[in-house]
Amino acid sequence: MAEPNKKLHIAMFPWLAFGHIIPFLELSKLIAQKGHRISFISTPRNIERLPKIPPQVAPLITLVKLPLPHVENLPENAEATMDVPYHIIPYLKKAHDGLEQPLSHFLETSTPDWIVHDFAPHWLPPIASKLGISRAFFSIFNASTLCFLGPTKSSVIEAHEPRSEPNHFVVPPKWVPFHTKVAFRYFEAKQIFDLFEENDSGNSDWFRYMKVLSGIDAIAVKTCVEVEGEWVKLLGELHDTPVIPVGLLPPSKQESLGNKDSNWDTIVEWLNKQEKASVVYIALGSEIQPSQNNFNELAFGLEQSGLPFFWALRKRKGVDSVQLPEAFEERTKDRGVVWTGWAPQFRILGHESVGGFLTHCGWSSVTEAFQFGRALILLPFLGDQGLIARFLEEKQAGVEVPRNEQDGSFTRDSITETLKLVMQDERGKIYRDKAKEMTTIFGDRDIHSRYVDKFVEFLENKIG
């Protein structure tokens, strides 16, 4: 047991993707609010790109810059997944492995009580263990996704046949004891084998994840039992490790509204002219690169829907960007905006003219949308996004765009029909109502604050 009121020193070490870094930072700020010291560790350029830390917790958060080692094939100044095309990410993982020595040195000299880390540093648990530092894996993925990925508890593994072909992944795993539709589609299942194969970093993602999980004291998950109760319970059984939901870490409204942003002035001027709940907001995250054909169908489907839209179209660095159909912007300029700069998503979703969100189903984006009860049009592309889409459909909290099972392609008509169903049709009222209902959980800051309290209590009471 920690001494009463002992202030802890907690090191936070996220993977080099802003979809991971930002939830780690949100959790850091909430822990610092309880008076504990945080060392937030990343690379110099990522630290420089962080949002400003609020003054009330800034004295307790030290930003630790570990220079990223140079690795062949990794462009200069590339320090996050958003800086490189998808096929270069393994080299970023290789560079990240080069942080082992500097991180070890930091841990030796600053002796934190805990290190809260991500899936990538497979080498970290034994180092921290040797130094007597407690270890928690913090998953930005939700509990149902982690359960689908599989167990580490040997008795559960031995009781089930290994999944060795795509067809094994298109049905719920045998170790899930309750009814669910959470599984991959065939075109997603084919991609999932990338996880298990050694990549250019020298290790598979699965190897990293399993190594990390084999050497921890706890699993912290960005979820809550009100949303994923049975999955949270199952996760603990599959790993034989304490699982602590930390809540959904909603971004602070005060912070989002307090940041002066010239982009926002232009965006809000347009949003203010639109009718209430009429606009569909489209954002596929910073890592999605649809094929040109899929991109065209999305654009044409949006155009033929006739709906007002705001499309946050992030260009990926070092990628031959897909192009909008010829004269698309000209034809839609009276009712739509294609925005290629940085878009303040949380503020856009919070605007009353926005009625729906066409999303890639990243868990953080879903969390933001349900703060405001925005109905979801689901268009997953990568990794866990397909599993989140099924999870949301199961709850009738969104509708997935119909796709070709073999290659994941979709048509402009399927985009148009799904948009109209969710945004306008009487048949889609159930989804709009369900999304509004979700605000009672996702938008209740007191619920999520209590989860962080419980997590901090766990950290205080379990040292070494």
Side-chain angles (χ1 to χ4, degrees):
M1 292 280 283
E3 304 145 37
N5 303 323
K6 175 181 185 275
K7 293 307 174 196
L8 302 178
H9 175 199
I10 298 158
M12 305 289 280
F13 187 49
W15 160 236
L16 306 173
F18 273 83
H20 292 240
I21 289 169
I22 296 302
F24 267 77
L25 186 64
E26 286 297 328
L27 185 56
S28 299
K29 291 188 291 196
L30 294 165
I31 295 170
Q33 277 177 14
K34 316 288 177 196
H36 297 295
R37 278 196 308 127
I38 301 285
S39 290
F40 191 89
I41 306 162
S42 194
T43 62
R45 192 154 174 252
N46 290 339
I47 296 273
E48 279 148 27
R49 289 185 280 187
L50 292 177
K52 203 168 180 317
I53 307 241
Q56 65 272 27
V57 292
L60 287 165
I61 299 178
T62 305
L63 300 174
V64 179
K65 298 178 180 179
L66 299 183
L68 194 65
H70 174 71
V71 165
E72 208 180 333
N73 297 322
L74 191 64
E76 207 174 334
N77 287 331
E79 296 187 9
T81 53
M82 67 193 284
D83 301 329
V84 292
Y86 188 70
H87 69 280
I88 296 295
I89 289 175
Y91 298 106
L92 192 62
K93 290 183 176 134
K94 189 174 183 177
H96 177 272
D97 287 340
L99 295 173
E100 178 177 352
Q101 209 44 52
L103 183 66
S104 300
H105 178 71
F106 171 81
L107 295 176
E108 277 170 39
T109 52
S110 59
T111 56
D113 300 293
W114 279 89
I115 182 157
V116 177
H117 57 83
D118 219 319
F119 77 94
H122 59 92
W123 35 266
L124 176 55
I127 294 167
S129 175
K130 196 172 163 189
L131 294 168
I133 299 165
S134 298
R135 296 138 334 264
F137 164 59
F138 173 38
S139 170
I140 61 132
F141 303 106
N142 64 351
S144 53
T145 295
L146 293 184
C147 289
F148 186 90
L149 284 177
T152 49
K153 190 177 175 185
S154 54
S155 60
V156 183
I157 295 171
E158 284 155 17
H160 297 284
E161 291 289 311
R163 295 178 290 181
S164 55
E165 54 188 70
N167 284 333
H168 296 155
F169 288 86
V170 299
V171 291
K174 298 254 175 40
W175 51 78
V176 178
F178 44 83
H179 176 73
T180 182
K181 293 176 183 165
V182 173
F184 283 118
R185 295 263 153 82
Y186 189 76
F187 66 90
E188 295 164 337
K190 287 190 294 188
Q191 294 173 353
I192 200 67
F193 285 91
D194 290 353
L195 262 185
F196 302 101
E197 286 162 14
E198 185 179 305
N199 54 47
D200 289 324
S201 73
N203 294 298
S204 70
D205 288 353
W206 185 247
F207 171 82
R208 292 174 185 280
Y209 175 67
M210 293 298 274
K211 277 291 199 195
V212 156
L213 284 181
S214 67
I216 50 169
D217 299 299
I219 299 172
V221 189
K222 184 178 181 281
T223 192
C224 61
V225 295
E226 290 80 359
V227 175
E228 288 197 290
E230 54 194 357
W231 292 105
V232 169
K233 181 172 178 289
L234 175 61
L235 189 59
E237 292 162 6
L238 293 177
H239 297 294
D240 209 10
T241 300
V243 171
I244 303 109
V246 297
L248 294 163
L249 306 180
S252 155
K253 283 183 182 168
Q254 293 71 27
E255 273 176 62
S256 300
L257 300 175
N259 290 340
K260 286 282 173 244
D261 179 5
S262 56
N263 287 352
W264 175 242
D265 296 340
T266 314
I267 293 166
V268 77
E269 189 182 341
W270 183 83
L271 289 172
N272 285 342
K273 292 174 186 163
Q274 311 309 313
E275 287 179 30
K276 188 174 178 183
S278 67
V279 174
V280 60
Y281 171 60
I282 302 113
L284 299 178
S286 58
E287 295 190 19
I288 305 298
Q289 184 65 21
S291 67
Q292 184 64 58
N293 183 55
N294 275 346
F295 193 72
N296 286 346
E297 293 303 304
L298 173 55
F300 286 130
L302 191 56
E303 184 178 346
Q304 72 183 15
S305 76
L307 292 164
F309 66 85
F310 186 97
W311 190 349
L313 187 55
R314 288 292 288 273
K315 300 282 186 185
R316 277 181 70 71
K317 290 201 173 76
V319 178
D320 294 331
S321 285
V322 287
Q323 302 299 318
L324 284 164
E326 198 177 338
F328 171 82
E329 288 182 83
E330 183 58 35
R331 293 193 303 272
T332 58
K333 66 173 194 271
D334 292 338
R335 62 179 175 85
V337 172
V338 177
W339 189 266
T340 53
W342 183 78
Q345 178 164 292
F346 190 64
R347 297 177 86 165
I348 294 167
L349 286 167
H351 196 281
E352 65 173 13
S353 70
V354 174
F357 180 17
L358 192 155
T359 173
H360 63 305
C361 306
W363 188 229
S364 291
S365 287
V366 167
T367 302
E368 290 182 3
F370 284 153
Q371 303 269 306
F372 304 106
R374 303 300 175 228
L376 299 182
I377 302 96
L378 310 169
L379 191 62
F381 282 93
L382 271 182
D384 63 322
Q385 296 161 8
L387 299 177
I388 291 171
R390 313 297 112 71
F391 173 76
L392 294 169
E393 276 217 314
E394 191 166 84
K395 292 189 172 294
Q396 295 187 305
V399 182
E400 197 171 342
V401 174
R403 308 274 272 273
N404 177 303
E405 287 293 326
Q406 295 301 311
D407 63 9
S409 61
F410 49 86
T411 65
R412 61 195 71 182
D413 290 342
S414 63
I415 292 281
T416 300
E417 284 158 22
T418 314
L419 282 169
K420 286 186 156 178
L421 171 66
V422 173
M423 294 290 291
Q424 293 179 328
D425 288 5
E426 188 54 38
R427 285 179 307 128
K429 187 173 184 296
I430 183 170
Y431 306 108
R432 298 191 289 276
D433 289 348
K434 192 70 181 177
K436 289 192 175 68
E437 199 183 298
M438 287 297 206
T439 59
T440 59
I441 298 167
F442 284 75
D444 186 333
R445 286 166 186 278
D446 291 341
I447 288 178
H448 303 298
S449 178
R450 285 197 293 275
Y451 277 107
V452 175
D453 287 346
K454 283 182 190 160
F455 179 53
V456 170
E457 207 174 286
F458 178 85
L459 298 180
E460 289 170 343
N461 291 332
K462 191 178 190 316
I463 300 291

